[in-house]
């Protein structure tokens, strides 16, 4: 069991390392520029779009989303391999580890993006990477979140507001799905202890996604202040390829 836990920690660490990859920083460096000196200084898609143009922004977005997806999916696939290697695939607790570690990998890759060790723990806001992680875990919820993001940005022209609303919507949609799923599951002969353990395992793998949403909202605190003051910049980019 201890060996299994150590392996799981290594998998989560790999996800954090993947999160350290910063396409915005690399693209700016290729131009001989420090991304921290451009616009808001944030190494994310919006700042790259405003300062380096749409082509660089698209590359940044694809890589940031991709690393969230890859890290989360990698956690899932590696855990399947590990569980099979340990020959403990029987038993719901061990199977549950697959979803549990995948969820914590999702959190780790977002943390790696927001606080990358290679950039002295000064990273982006984690929106695109979080979207990639959600896409890997539940593409339907990811679709609704991106739909909400697009609608809010289209109406308000505030990317920050769209990001915050999409993140908060994810929590509501996730919990709605979770409650409906719980109501539909009834195990014959299961006692109180079974459902208690199932509940604990559910929350252990749910907490990482709630933390991700908290991180995204917290990383937008300055944007929130500017929104209330009416000082937030609206998205007004002319796309010219």
């Amino acid at each position: 069991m201890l060996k299994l836990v150590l392996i799981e920690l290594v998998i989560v660490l790999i996800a954090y390392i993947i999160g350290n990859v910063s396409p915005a920083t690399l693209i700016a460096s290729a131009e001989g520029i420090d991304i921290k000196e451009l616009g808001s200084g944030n190494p994310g898609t919006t700042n790259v779009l405003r300062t380096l143009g749409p082509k660089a922004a698209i590359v940044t977005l694809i890589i940031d989303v991709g690393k969230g997806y890859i890290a989360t999916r990698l956690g899932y696939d590696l855990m399947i391999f590990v569980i099979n290697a340990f020959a403990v695939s029987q038993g719901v607790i061990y199977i549950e580890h697959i979803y549990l570690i995948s969820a914590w990998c999702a959190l780790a890759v977002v943390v790696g993006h927001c606080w990358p060790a290679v950039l002295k723990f000064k990273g982006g806001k984690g929106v695109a990477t979080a979207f990639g992680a959600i896409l890997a875990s539940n593409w339907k919820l990811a679709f609704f979140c991106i739909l909400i993001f697009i609608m809010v940005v289209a109406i308000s022209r505030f990317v920050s507001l769209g990001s915050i609303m999409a993140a908060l919507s994810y929590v509501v949609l996730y919990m709605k799905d979770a409650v409906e799923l719980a109501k539909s599951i009834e195990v014959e002969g299961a006692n109180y202890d079974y459902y208690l353990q199932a509940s604990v395992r559910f929350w252990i793998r749910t907490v990482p996604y709630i933390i991700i949403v908290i991180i995204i909202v917290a990383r937008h605190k300055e944007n929130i202040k500017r929104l209330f003051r009416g000082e937030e910049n609206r998205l007004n980019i002319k796309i010219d390829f």
Side-chain angles (χ1 to χ4, degrees), residues 6-240:
L6 291 175
I7 292 174
E8 290 172 343
L9 289 174
V10 170
I11 293 173
V12 173
L13 178 60
I14 291 172
Y16 172 80
I17 293 171
I18 292 173
N20 275 236
V21 177
S22 176
T25 302
L26 294 174
I27 292 171
S29 296
E31 298 289 333
I33 306 170
D34 185 353
I35 190 66
K36 296 175 185 176
E37 298 176 357
L38 297 177
S40 64
N42 178 58
T45 302
T46 303
N47 191 37
V48 171
L49 178 61
R50 288 191 173 115
T51 57
L52 297 177
K55 292 181 181 179
I58 290 172
V59 174
T60 299
L61 178 63
I62 291 173
I63 295 177
D64 279 344
V65 171
K67 70 187 185 185
Y69 182 93
I70 290 170
T72 305
R73 185 69 201 185
L74 188 65
Y76 181 88
D77 292 338
L78 284 178
M79 279 308 299
I80 290 178
F81 174 79
V82 169
I83 293 302
N84 287 331
F86 270 73
V88 289
S89 55
Q90 303 83 10
V92 66
I93 292 178
Y94 290 106
I95 292 176
E96 195 71 18
H97 280 221
I98 297 171
Y99 301 99
L100 188 152
I101 298 305
S102 178
W104 285 95
C105 281
L107 174 59
V109 71
V110 172
V111 170
H113 175 85
C114 295
W115 296 281
V118 296
L119 297 177
K120 299 180 180 179
F121 303 101
K122 296 179 180 179
K125 295 180 178 178
V127 177
T129 302
F131 173 73
I134 293 169
L135 188 63
S137 62
N138 191 323
W139 68 268
K140 291 181 180 179
L141 289 190
F143 171 78
F144 283 115
C145 286
I146 195 66
L147 196 61
I148 291 169
F149 171 82
I150 292 172
M151 289 174 59
V152 173
V153 174
I155 294 170
S156 69
R157 307 297 291 178
F158 292 126
V159 175
S160 57
L161 183 61
S163 300
I164 293 167
M165 292 306 297
L168 294 175
S169 298
Y170 172 75
V171 174
V172 175
L173 293 169
Y174 181 94
M175 296 309 297
K176 177 179 177 293
D177 275 7
V179 170
E180 290 179 355
L181 178 61
K183 288 181 178 179
S184 68
I185 295 175
E186 184 176 346
V187 180
E188 185 177 352
N191 56 24
Y192 172 81
D193 288 339
Y194 172 85
Y195 286 110
L196 178 61
Q197 292 174 16
S199 176
V200 170
R201 290 195 298 272
F202 167 79
W203 281 108
I204 289 175
R205 76 169 189 264
T206 298
V207 166
Y209 290 106
I210 294 177
I211 295 175
I212 288 173
V213 171
I214 293 172
I215 288 173
I216 290 175
V217 174
R219 298 288 282 182
H220 283 85
K221 63 180 181 180
E222 294 302 323
N223 302 85
I224 294 171
K225 291 178 182 178
R226 289 195 294 270
L227 283 168
F228 277 110
R229 294 197 300 262
E231 299 173 356
E232 179 73 338
N233 293 325
R234 294 179 185 272
L235 184 65
N236 187 22
I237 302 295
K238 181 181 179 180
I239 306 298
D240 184 12

